[in-house]
Amino acid sequence: MNNQKKEQLQRLLWMANVQGFYPDKPAVELEAGYQRWKEHRQQFTQLDRDFSPENMWQGSPNIEPATLAGSIVFSFHYGPYRLLPRYLVAAGYRLTVVVSAAVLNRERMRYARDLATMGAPADSLECLEASNTMVIRKMLQAILLNRLILVFLDANESVGTNESKEEQGRLRVSFGGSYFYWRSNLLKLAHRFGLPVHAIHLNPKLHHKESAWQMENPIAVLTPADKNNPMAILNAFTKLQEIFQKMMHNDWTAWENWGLMHHYKGFDERTGSGTKCKGSWMIPFSFADKGYLFDLSRRIFYEIIVKKNNNF
């Protein structure tokens, strides 16, 4: 798949998702938003490449290690979020990052290089694979060692019914004209054991050039005192939503996942094998040697399957 086709597919996914959450945005604003999103990604890549011991303090506030040590910290794939682990290590934390297997394989060597560049001890940053059967036990052990556990919340990218998502312990996040899901298992774990939970993210600096970003002060989401409060998880989820909404209000084009997540209302409507759509424009494209049609009105992808007839 050449770069031009990848760009077309990315733009198509981005437009479909954004229009699902912002149905009132005109086409001109959507196109401008897409171009700004691409510019953001280029800037964030450059910030990642320009990282050095001299500039690592620029985005890191003066957060005492006692503030977040021994707690779970939620963040988002927003802004130049790949800088966040470096800022936290620079602030004096011993960091445990919970990531997928794909991210672990991709980032492991880079994290090691970052620590060497910073002159930080090798155990300043470790990664846990989220799908590992021992991940919960390892997280609890990390907290006992007074480490900070960093987890990125994102829209769930898998396709499925809302009922199955809710049964699997996922929280429905209302946003714009639609919604998506966050996993709730870590909130439940923290509540059960009385663990502190905070939220933190990067924001553009006020009155600075666009490429300057800083880490916001952490916000408490759960405290050990909430262990016996039956409403604590709901209150914590509400705080996380408020943080997310405020963050997106500052600059919604700085959220990386516009090009990845699904719009769920389209999936809710699919109750049968056929389509109820009375008319629509269909855009053909190919990806990984397969053919697809994209339904503009319902924002759904259909795979084109050709059945061979052995009689011919």
Side-chain angles (χ1 to χ4, degrees):
M1 189 175 185
N2 59 39
N3 291 334
Q4 184 177 5
K5 287 186 176 181
K6 287 181 179 179
E7 167 68 18
Q8 291 174 346
L9 177 58
Q10 176 180 273
R11 183 178 179 277
L12 202 59
L13 287 167
W14 194 96
M15 290 290 181
N17 282 317
V18 173
Q19 191 175 43
F21 286 89
Y22 295 114
D24 297 328
K25 285 189 183 296
V28 173
E29 188 174 352
L30 289 176
E31 183 60 39
Y34 177 66
Q35 296 303 324
R36 181 171 173 78
W37 180 75
K38 288 205 306 179
E39 291 170 4
H40 272 316
R41 297 187 75 190
Q42 293 171 356
Q43 291 164 3
F44 302 157
T45 299
Q46 191 61 46
L47 286 172
D48 189 34
R49 290 173 179 168
D50 292 343
F51 170 74
S52 68
E54 291 74 27
N55 64 26
M56 69 184 177
W57 294 100
Q58 295 178 6
S60 180
N62 185 22
I63 303 175
E64 293 295 330
T67 306
L68 300 175
S71 68
I72 297 173
V73 176
F74 286 124
S75 191
F76 311 88
H77 285 179
Y78 180 87
Y81 64 89
R82 289 180 176 85
L83 300 178
L84 193 54
R86 299 167 183 171
Y87 290 161
L88 290 169
V89 169
Y93 290 101
R94 291 191 302 151
L95 188 63
T96 298
V97 187
V98 182
V99 295
S100 66
V103 172
L104 180 60
N105 292 332
R106 186 177 69 239
E107 304 290 348
R108 190 197 305 267
M109 295 301 296
R110 196 198 68 170
Y111 283 145
R113 288 196 300 268
D114 288 346
L115 294 178
T117 300
M118 297 169 67
D123 71 341
S124 297
L125 192 156
E126 67 175 6
C127 294
L128 297 181
E129 185 181 336
S131 60
N132 189 296
T133 56
M134 300 292 289
V135 67
I136 297 299
R137 178 177 294 184
K138 291 180 179 180
M139 288 174 65
L140 293 174
Q141 290 173 344
I143 289 175
L144 287 174
L145 294 173
N146 223 29
R147 300 182 70 91
L148 183 161
I149 295 179
L150 179 63
V151 181
F152 289 97
L153 286 174
D154 270 307
N156 175 28
E157 297 168 15
S158 62
V159 179
T161 65
N162 294 334
E163 291 78 9
S164 67
K165 294 181 191 309
E166 289 162 5
E167 287 173 1
Q168 294 170 27
R170 297 171 187 175
L171 298 167
R172 176 167 156 167
V173 182
S174 298
F175 178 62
S178 189
Y179 51 86
F180 53 87
Y181 289 90
W182 285 336
R183 296 181 184 273
S184 63
N185 54 345
L186 289 187
L187 277 178
K188 293 177 181 177
L189 176 75
H191 183 243
R192 176 184 175 187
F193 289 97
L195 306 177
V197 177
H198 295 82
I200 199 167
H201 63 87
L202 295 166
N203 254 344
K205 289 184 179 180
L206 297 175
H207 313 300
H208 284 72
K209 61 181 181 179
E210 189 178 7
S211 60
W213 289 70
Q214 66 183 5
M215 191 165 67
E216 293 294 293
N217 288 318
I219 299 173
V221 175
L222 273 177
T223 69
D226 291 320
K227 184 176 181 180
N228 298 319
N229 179 5
M231 297 297 293
I233 292 181
L234 179 60
N235 294 337
F237 178 58
T238 301
K239 284 184 183 179
L240 285 171
Q241 285 216 63
E242 290 172 351
I243 294 167
F244 178 81
Q245 303 284 357
K246 182 179 179 180
M247 180 186 75
M248 294 291 279
H249 178 73
N250 288 339
D251 187 352
W252 62 273
T253 64
W255 196 37
E256 184 181 75
N257 282 71
W258 281 124
L260 297 173
M261 67 182 181
H262 294 285
H263 176 228
Y264 281 99
K265 285 189 175 179
F267 298 115
D268 292 347
E269 296 166 2
R270 289 189 289 178
T271 56
S273 58
T275 176
K276 298 177 182 179
C277 189
K278 295 181 180 179
S280 178
W281 287 93
M282 307 292 279
I283 299 178
F285 67 94
S286 61
F287 178 70
D289 296 326
K290 293 183 179 180
Y292 298 88
L293 292 174
F294 179 69
D295 187 332
L296 277 176
S297 67
R298 304 184 73 216
R299 296 181 289 277
I300 295 175
F301 294 90
Y302 297 94
E303 182 179 352
I304 301 173
I305 299 176
V306 178
K307 294 183 178 180
K308 295 181 179 180
N309 191 326
N310 295 328
N311 295 329
F312 293 91

